[in-house]
Short mmCIF file of all heavy atoms in Angstrom, two decimals:
data_model
loop_
_atom_site.label_atom_id
_atom_site.label_comp_id
_atom_site.label_asym_id
_atom_site.label_seq_id
_atom_site.Cartn_x
_atom_site.Cartn_y
_atom_site.Cartn_z
N ILE A 913 10.43 -7.62 4.79
CA ILE A 913 11.06 -8.33 5.90
C ILE A 913 10.12 -8.42 7.10
O ILE A 913 9.94 -9.49 7.67
CB ILE A 913 12.40 -7.66 6.31
CG1 ILE A 913 13.34 -7.53 5.11
CG2 ILE A 913 13.06 -8.43 7.46
CD1 ILE A 913 13.70 -8.82 4.41
N ARG A 914 9.52 -7.32 7.47
CA ARG A 914 8.62 -7.32 8.63
C ARG A 914 7.19 -7.70 8.28
O ARG A 914 6.36 -7.86 9.16
CB ARG A 914 8.66 -5.96 9.32
CG ARG A 914 10.07 -5.67 9.90
CD ARG A 914 10.13 -4.47 10.79
NE ARG A 914 9.34 -4.68 11.98
CZ ARG A 914 8.72 -3.71 12.65
NH1 ARG A 914 8.82 -2.46 12.23
NH2 ARG A 914 8.02 -3.97 13.73
N GLN A 915 6.91 -7.82 6.98
CA GLN A 915 5.59 -8.27 6.48
C GLN A 915 4.44 -7.37 6.92
O GLN A 915 3.34 -7.84 7.20
CB GLN A 915 5.33 -9.72 6.91
CG GLN A 915 6.31 -10.73 6.33
CD GLN A 915 6.09 -10.93 4.84
OE1 GLN A 915 5.02 -11.34 4.42
NE2 GLN A 915 7.10 -10.61 4.04
N ARG A 916 4.69 -6.07 6.95
CA ARG A 916 3.63 -5.12 7.31
C ARG A 916 2.83 -4.78 6.05
O ARG A 916 3.34 -4.84 4.94
CB ARG A 916 4.24 -3.87 7.92
CG ARG A 916 4.86 -4.18 9.29
CD ARG A 916 5.39 -2.95 9.99
NE ARG A 916 4.37 -1.93 10.12
CZ ARG A 916 4.65 -0.62 10.04
NH1 ARG A 916 5.87 -0.19 9.86
NH2 ARG A 916 3.68 0.26 10.16
N PRO A 917 1.58 -4.38 6.22
CA PRO A 917 0.74 -4.03 5.06
C PRO A 917 1.30 -2.83 4.28
O PRO A 917 1.75 -1.85 4.88
CB PRO A 917 -0.61 -3.67 5.68
CG PRO A 917 -0.60 -4.27 7.05
CD PRO A 917 0.85 -4.30 7.48
N VAL A 918 1.24 -2.93 2.96
CA VAL A 918 1.76 -1.88 2.09
C VAL A 918 1.08 -0.55 2.39
O VAL A 918 1.74 0.49 2.50
CB VAL A 918 1.59 -2.28 0.60
CG1 VAL A 918 1.85 -1.09 -0.31
CG2 VAL A 918 2.54 -3.43 0.26
N ALA A 919 -0.25 -0.55 2.53
CA ALA A 919 -0.97 0.71 2.75
C ALA A 919 -0.51 1.40 4.04
O ALA A 919 -0.35 2.63 4.07
CB ALA A 919 -2.47 0.44 2.80
N GLU A 920 -0.27 0.62 5.06
CA GLU A 920 0.19 1.17 6.34
C GLU A 920 1.57 1.81 6.20
O GLU A 920 1.81 2.91 6.68
CB GLU A 920 0.24 0.01 7.35
CG GLU A 920 0.45 0.38 8.78
CD GLU A 920 0.40 -0.85 9.67
OE1 GLU A 920 -0.68 -1.45 9.81
OE2 GLU A 920 1.47 -1.23 10.20
N VAL A 921 2.46 1.11 5.53
CA VAL A 921 3.82 1.62 5.33
C VAL A 921 3.80 2.84 4.41
O VAL A 921 4.53 3.81 4.62
CB VAL A 921 4.75 0.52 4.79
CG1 VAL A 921 6.12 1.06 4.42
CG2 VAL A 921 4.87 -0.61 5.81
N ALA A 922 2.94 2.81 3.41
CA ALA A 922 2.82 3.95 2.50
C ALA A 922 2.42 5.20 3.27
O ALA A 922 3.00 6.28 3.09
CB ALA A 922 1.80 3.65 1.40
N THR A 923 1.46 5.07 4.16
CA THR A 923 1.01 6.21 4.97
C THR A 923 2.15 6.72 5.84
O THR A 923 2.39 7.93 5.91
CB THR A 923 -0.19 5.80 5.86
OG1 THR A 923 -1.26 5.39 5.01
CG2 THR A 923 -0.65 6.95 6.73
N GLU A 924 2.88 5.82 6.47
CA GLU A 924 3.99 6.21 7.35
C GLU A 924 5.10 6.93 6.61
O GLU A 924 5.70 7.85 7.14
CB GLU A 924 4.62 4.96 7.99
CG GLU A 924 3.93 4.49 9.22
CD GLU A 924 4.61 3.27 9.83
OE1 GLU A 924 5.78 2.98 9.49
OE2 GLU A 924 3.95 2.60 10.63
N THR A 925 5.39 6.47 5.40
CA THR A 925 6.52 7.04 4.65
C THR A 925 6.12 8.22 3.77
O THR A 925 6.99 8.88 3.21
CB THR A 925 7.17 5.96 3.76
OG1 THR A 925 6.18 5.45 2.86
CG2 THR A 925 7.77 4.84 4.58
N GLY A 926 4.82 8.43 3.61
CA GLY A 926 4.36 9.49 2.73
C GLY A 926 4.45 9.11 1.25
O GLY A 926 4.39 9.95 0.37
N MET A 927 4.59 7.81 1.01
CA MET A 927 4.65 7.30 -0.37
C MET A 927 3.27 6.78 -0.76
O MET A 927 2.47 6.43 0.10
CB MET A 927 5.68 6.16 -0.45
CG MET A 927 7.09 6.55 -0.08
SD MET A 927 8.20 5.13 0.13
CE MET A 927 8.49 4.65 -1.57
N SER A 928 3.04 6.67 -2.07
CA SER A 928 1.82 6.00 -2.52
C SER A 928 2.05 4.49 -2.40
O SER A 928 3.18 4.03 -2.33
CB SER A 928 1.51 6.35 -3.98
OG SER A 928 2.49 5.78 -4.83
N SER A 929 0.96 3.73 -2.38
CA SER A 929 1.10 2.27 -2.32
C SER A 929 1.88 1.77 -3.53
O SER A 929 2.72 0.88 -3.42
CB SER A 929 -0.27 1.59 -2.26
OG SER A 929 -0.87 1.85 -1.01
N GLY A 930 1.61 2.36 -4.70
CA GLY A 930 2.33 1.97 -5.91
C GLY A 930 3.82 2.20 -5.78
O GLY A 930 4.63 1.38 -6.20
N ALA A 931 4.20 3.34 -5.18
CA ALA A 931 5.62 3.65 -4.99
C ALA A 931 6.28 2.66 -4.03
O ALA A 931 7.44 2.29 -4.21
CB ALA A 931 5.80 5.08 -4.48
N VAL A 932 5.53 2.20 -3.02
CA VAL A 932 6.06 1.21 -2.09
C VAL A 932 6.33 -0.10 -2.83
O VAL A 932 7.38 -0.72 -2.67
CB VAL A 932 5.11 1.00 -0.89
CG1 VAL A 932 5.55 -0.21 -0.05
CG2 VAL A 932 5.06 2.25 -0.03
N TYR A 933 5.36 -0.53 -3.66
CA TYR A 933 5.55 -1.77 -4.44
C TYR A 933 6.76 -1.66 -5.36
O TYR A 933 7.55 -2.59 -5.49
CB TYR A 933 4.30 -2.10 -5.26
CG TYR A 933 3.19 -2.70 -4.46
CD1 TYR A 933 2.00 -2.01 -4.26
CD2 TYR A 933 3.30 -3.98 -3.91
CE1 TYR A 933 0.96 -2.58 -3.53
CE2 TYR A 933 2.26 -4.56 -3.19
CZ TYR A 933 1.10 -3.84 -3.00
OH TYR A 933 0.07 -4.41 -2.27
N ILE A 934 6.90 -0.51 -6.02
CA ILE A 934 8.03 -0.30 -6.94
C ILE A 934 9.35 -0.32 -6.16
O ILE A 934 10.32 -0.95 -6.59
CB ILE A 934 7.85 1.01 -7.74
CG1 ILE A 934 6.70 0.85 -8.74
CG2 ILE A 934 9.15 1.39 -8.45
CD1 ILE A 934 6.26 2.15 -9.39
N ALA A 935 9.39 0.38 -5.03
CA ALA A 935 10.60 0.41 -4.21
C ALA A 935 10.98 -0.99 -3.78
O ALA A 935 12.15 -1.40 -3.88
CB ALA A 935 10.39 1.30 -2.98
N ARG A 936 10.01 -1.75 -3.32
CA ARG A 936 10.27 -3.12 -2.86
C ARG A 936 10.80 -3.97 -4.01
O ARG A 936 11.77 -4.70 -3.86
CB ARG A 936 8.99 -3.72 -2.28
CG ARG A 936 9.21 -5.08 -1.68
CD ARG A 936 8.02 -5.55 -0.91
NE ARG A 936 6.91 -5.87 -1.80
CZ ARG A 936 5.72 -6.24 -1.37
NH1 ARG A 936 5.45 -6.31 -0.09
NH2 ARG A 936 4.77 -6.52 -2.23
N SER A 937 10.18 -3.86 -5.16
CA SER A 937 10.59 -4.65 -6.32
C SER A 937 12.01 -4.30 -6.76
O SER A 937 12.82 -5.19 -7.04
CB SER A 937 9.60 -4.40 -7.46
OG SER A 937 10.02 -5.07 -8.62
N ARG A 938 12.33 -3.02 -6.80
CA ARG A 938 13.67 -2.59 -7.22
C ARG A 938 14.74 -3.06 -6.24
O ARG A 938 15.82 -3.50 -6.64
CB ARG A 938 13.71 -1.08 -7.37
CG ARG A 938 12.98 -0.61 -8.61
CD ARG A 938 13.09 0.87 -8.80
NE ARG A 938 12.39 1.26 -10.01
CZ ARG A 938 11.96 2.48 -10.27
NH1 ARG A 938 12.18 3.46 -9.41
NH2 ARG A 938 11.34 2.75 -11.39
N ILE A 939 14.45 -2.95 -4.95
CA ILE A 939 15.45 -3.37 -3.96
C ILE A 939 15.62 -4.88 -4.00
O ILE A 939 16.73 -5.39 -3.91
CB ILE A 939 15.08 -2.85 -2.56
CG1 ILE A 939 15.29 -1.34 -2.52
CG2 ILE A 939 15.92 -3.55 -1.48
CD1 ILE A 939 14.92 -0.67 -1.23
N LEU A 940 14.54 -5.63 -4.14
CA LEU A 940 14.65 -7.09 -4.25
C LEU A 940 15.52 -7.46 -5.45
O LEU A 940 16.35 -8.36 -5.36
CB LEU A 940 13.27 -7.74 -4.37
CG LEU A 940 12.49 -7.88 -3.07
CD1 LEU A 940 11.06 -8.31 -3.35
CD2 LEU A 940 13.17 -8.86 -2.14
N ALA A 941 15.33 -6.77 -6.56
CA ALA A 941 16.14 -7.05 -7.76
C ALA A 941 17.62 -6.75 -7.49
O ALA A 941 18.50 -7.53 -7.86
CB ALA A 941 15.63 -6.23 -8.94
N LYS A 942 17.91 -5.62 -6.83
CA LYS A 942 19.29 -5.28 -6.49
C LYS A 942 19.89 -6.32 -5.56
O LYS A 942 21.04 -6.72 -5.72
CB LYS A 942 19.34 -3.91 -5.80
CG LYS A 942 19.18 -2.72 -6.70
CD LYS A 942 19.22 -1.43 -5.86
CE LYS A 942 19.06 -0.20 -6.68
NZ LYS A 942 20.30 0.21 -7.36
N LEU A 943 19.11 -6.75 -4.57
CA LEU A 943 19.60 -7.76 -3.62
C LEU A 943 19.90 -9.07 -4.32
O LEU A 943 20.95 -9.68 -4.09
CB LEU A 943 18.59 -7.98 -2.50
CG LEU A 943 18.45 -6.85 -1.48
CD1 LEU A 943 17.23 -7.08 -0.59
CD2 LEU A 943 19.71 -6.71 -0.64
N ARG A 944 18.97 -9.51 -5.17
CA ARG A 944 19.18 -10.78 -5.89
C ARG A 944 20.45 -10.73 -6.74
O ARG A 944 21.25 -11.66 -6.74
CB ARG A 944 17.98 -11.08 -6.79
CG ARG A 944 16.82 -11.67 -6.05
CD ARG A 944 15.75 -12.18 -7.01
NE ARG A 944 14.54 -12.43 -6.28
CZ ARG A 944 13.47 -11.64 -6.28
NH1 ARG A 944 13.45 -10.55 -7.01
NH2 ARG A 944 12.41 -11.94 -5.56
N MET A 945 20.62 -9.63 -7.47
CA MET A 945 21.79 -9.51 -8.33
C MET A 945 23.07 -9.49 -7.50
O MET A 945 24.04 -10.18 -7.82
CB MET A 945 21.70 -8.25 -9.20
CG MET A 945 22.89 -8.10 -10.12
SD MET A 945 22.63 -6.84 -11.37
CE MET A 945 21.36 -7.63 -12.35
N ALA A 946 23.08 -8.73 -6.43
CA ALA A 946 24.27 -8.63 -5.59
C ALA A 946 24.59 -9.97 -4.93
O ALA A 946 25.76 -10.35 -4.84
CB ALA A 946 24.07 -7.55 -4.53
#
């Protein structure tokens, strides 16, 4: 939504970049279905 860089958000949240991509993908899928 805010279009911030994945690496920056990963650092802030303590997640890996891969985990951020997976989280985003899963939530987008949930949103689309809902």
Side-chain angles (χ1 to χ4, degrees):
I913 306 302
R914 296 190 65 210
Q915 297 289 300
R916 292 184 55 215
V918 169
E920 190 177 292
V921 173
T923 300
E924 275 181 18
T925 59
M927 300 169 75
S928 68
S929 290
V932 170
Y933 283 112
I934 290 169
R936 185 170 70 184
S937 176
R938 287 183 179 160
I939 289 178
L940 282 170
K942 284 178 180 280
L943 288 169
R944 280 190 194 103
M945 181 168 292

